[in-house]
Amino acid sequence: MSLLRARTAVSPLRRRFEAAEPVLPRVDDLVAVERPEEPMHCLRPAVIAAASAGFVQGFPGKTLYAVKCNPEPGVLRAVWEGGVRHFDCASAAEVALVRTLFPEAEIHFMHPVKSRGAIREAWSRHGVRDFVLDTADELAKIVAETGGGEGELGLVVRLALPKGRAVYDLSGKFGAAPEEAVALLRAARPQAKRLGLSFHVGSQCLDPLAWREALALAGQVIRAAGVAVEIVDVGGGFPVAYEDATPLPLGAFFAEIEAGFEALALPGAELWAEPGRALVAAGGSVVVQVQQRRGDALYVNDGIYGALSDAGLPGFAFPVRLIRPEGEVAEGRRGFMLFGPTCDSADRMNGPFWLPEDVREGDWIEIGQLGAYGACLRTGFNGFDRARLVEVRDAPLL
Ligand SMILES: *Cc1c(COP(=O)(O)O)cnc(C)c1O
């Protein structure tokens, strides 16, 4: 079946077939024909394109896709298809990948700590003009490696937020405290063609008020700095549904952000967002095979060192469904835990994952909402680095 492609965890997928794709297959049909003994990653390009289009049309500003969330070329193409033209990159490799795929993309280098070589390459080879910083050292580095910026530099100061409410709190690592951010805005102003302030509330943040509060803090910093600011970047963190989470619609978040931004009264300033998860989570799943059953524990061929990192300690409740191409399936349901294939006893996912009570060796399980922070976190640990990648036309599991 020509749509199936194999790859290892660490090498990029090469497209072997560029011809216009026929109608995409369904997951169940592929499993029935291929009977995959390796994890099978299923991309739903139409789902990603629709989610991206929804965000671009609903967000009252510019949408930058956070590439780290899923850098698969098929995903990037679907995001582009949905109307995204701006990309939040955090490494030289991400910058080069996006530039190769989309010569016209606007790329923003949003990692607060960059190597000098990465800055130089982004600036001179890939036409990147916007860079984030949260220290005076990084400001000096950016100015030096871009030859003073030649009057074209966009500089965005990353503001630290107090520990927040997101499932993944990211307040501990990056960001300048408010007083430092004031000083950085003043120091960066003379170097910048356009100056911005950014923050990130943390990932899978279910509370729209988190953005309202962060915008209020951003406003205090901008007023204290007393310099003109052209960009306010509200970061990512927009939530998606899991079995145990049904977030408010994105419109509720956009409304808070719009109101919070208007309250800052910054005429001429642009609003940016850096969504990752919200654009791509529903557009990816992985099909694993049961290799052994021991009571309520299923030993499957993917785990926390593969695409299921967030099902481990973070304990995300991913939706699941059983695929048994032939034979009946029991009516009753039961909660199972999963063990991944590596020898590490930490390679377990407690779930519970609700499946038919007669799950047995040889069955397949599709695990959904894995388009974000799934396949991109895979490692080659213990030799379990083989997986398949296929594009399908199925609806998302949730
Ligand atoms: C990871 C990250 C994002 C994307 O976060 P999501 O929760 O996937 O939306 C955006 N901005 C920054 C700075 C990040 O680190």
Side-chain angles (χ1 to χ4, degrees):
M1 165 117 359
S2 64
L3 288 164
L4 284 176
R5 292 157 298 202
R7 62 161 185 185
T8 61
V10 287
S11 58
L13 178 80
R14 302 256 173 263
R15 264 206 166 212
R16 276 190 274 134
F17 303 96
E18 284 295 343
E21 226 115 347
V23 178
L24 294 175
R26 289 191 189 283
V27 175
D28 287 12
D29 297 338
L30 284 172
V31 171
V33 172
E34 292 288 325
R35 312 188 68 81
E37 295 198 340
E38 294 160 349
M40 187 171 84
H41 293 258
C42 303
L43 275 189
R44 292 155 161 81
V47 173
I48 295 172
S52 302
F55 200 103
V56 167
Q57 284 155 27
F59 182 73
K62 281 186 183 158
T63 302
L64 287 59
Y65 172 56
V67 172
K68 76 165 189 277
C69 187
N70 192 333
E72 186 65 46
V75 168
L76 294 170
R77 284 192 202 96
V79 165
W80 180 273
E81 176 81 26
V84 172
R85 295 294 177 268
H86 296 261
F87 293 82
D88 159 3
C89 292
S91 64
E94 286 182 357
V95 169
L97 172 66
V98 172
R99 183 54 82 222
T100 305
L101 290 173
F102 313 118
E104 292 121 67
E106 285 212 38
I107 302 176
H108 313 269
F109 206 150
M110 304 306 272
H111 194 303
V113 184
K114 296 164 285 299
S115 77
R116 289 180 178 271
I119 297 169
R120 279 199 302 276
E121 194 182 316
W123 174 264
S124 47
R125 189 182 313 176
H126 299 300
V128 176
R129 291 295 171 265
D130 298 330
F131 296 83
V132 83
L133 61 111
D134 61 3
T135 60
D137 287 347
E138 192 74 7
L139 174 58
K141 204 197 273 179
I142 294 166
V143 170
E145 299 306 328
T146 60
E150 301 163 8
E152 288 183 35
L153 202 50
L155 291 170
V156 178
V157 174
R158 168 89 173 259
L159 174 66
L161 297 178
K163 196 166 164 47
R165 280 169 284 215
V167 173
Y168 262 77
D169 184 64
L170 298 176
S171 59
K173 187 165 179 182
F174 295 124
E179 324 78 70
E180 295 166 49
V182 167
L184 286 171
L185 284 174
R186 289 182 183 149
R189 181 68 272 181
Q191 321 282 347
K193 179 179 180 191
R194 46 185 189 170
L195 181 65
L197 188 64
S198 76
F199 55 78
H200 185 47
V201 298
S203 206
Q204 183 69 4
C205 181
L206 294 160
D207 187 354
L209 283 178
W211 279 270
R212 172 78 80 119
E213 288 165 14
L215 279 165
L217 181 63
Q220 289 169 22
V221 167
I222 292 168
R223 275 193 303 280
V227 296
V229 161
E230 289 89 18
I231 301 156
V232 175
D233 177 351
V234 300
F238 301 91
V240 301
Y242 295 98
E243 286 289 4
D244 59 351
T246 308
L248 293 169
L250 280 177
F253 295 80
F254 297 161
E256 279 300 339
I257 289 168
E258 190 161 25
F261 178 62
E262 272 168 16
L264 302 187
L266 297 171
E270 288 184 356
L271 191 57
W272 293 5
E274 307 164 349
R277 188 186 302 275
L279 305 194
V280 301
S285 66
V286 63
V287 173
V288 300
Q289 190 175 30
V290 179
Q291 295 172 325
Q292 194 171 90
R293 174 171 175 178
R294 298 187 191 178
D296 292 343
L298 303 175
Y299 288 68
V300 298
N301 59 358
D302 203 16
I304 67 163
Y305 295 99
L308 297 171
S309 170
D310 279 346
L313 264 193
F316 275 66
F318 294 103
V320 291
R321 70 183 184 95
L322 192 78
I323 304 175
R324 183 181 292 165
E326 52 277 312
E328 296 298 301
V329 173
E331 293 268 311
R333 302 259 142 181
R334 184 162 161 164
F336 290 90
M337 63 151 305
L338 307 179
F339 278 115
T342 71
C343 299
D344 187 347
S345 51
D347 194 0
R348 60 184 290 159
M349 297 146 278
N350 289 336
F353 299 96
W354 293 94
L355 290 160
E357 59 195 8
D358 68 339
V359 181
R360 58 184 191 228
E361 192 236 325
D363 284 340
W364 286 271
I365 300 168
E366 183 176 23
I367 306 172
Q369 299 297 91
L370 267 173
Y373 308 110
C376 61
L377 297 178
R378 297 171 61 221
T379 75
F381 180 45
N382 240 173
F384 296 104
D385 62 345
R386 300 271 306 167
R388 294 169 167 208
L389 178 71
V390 60
E391 296 189 352
V392 298
R393 70 170 193 271
D394 300 61
L397 266 69
L398 280 184

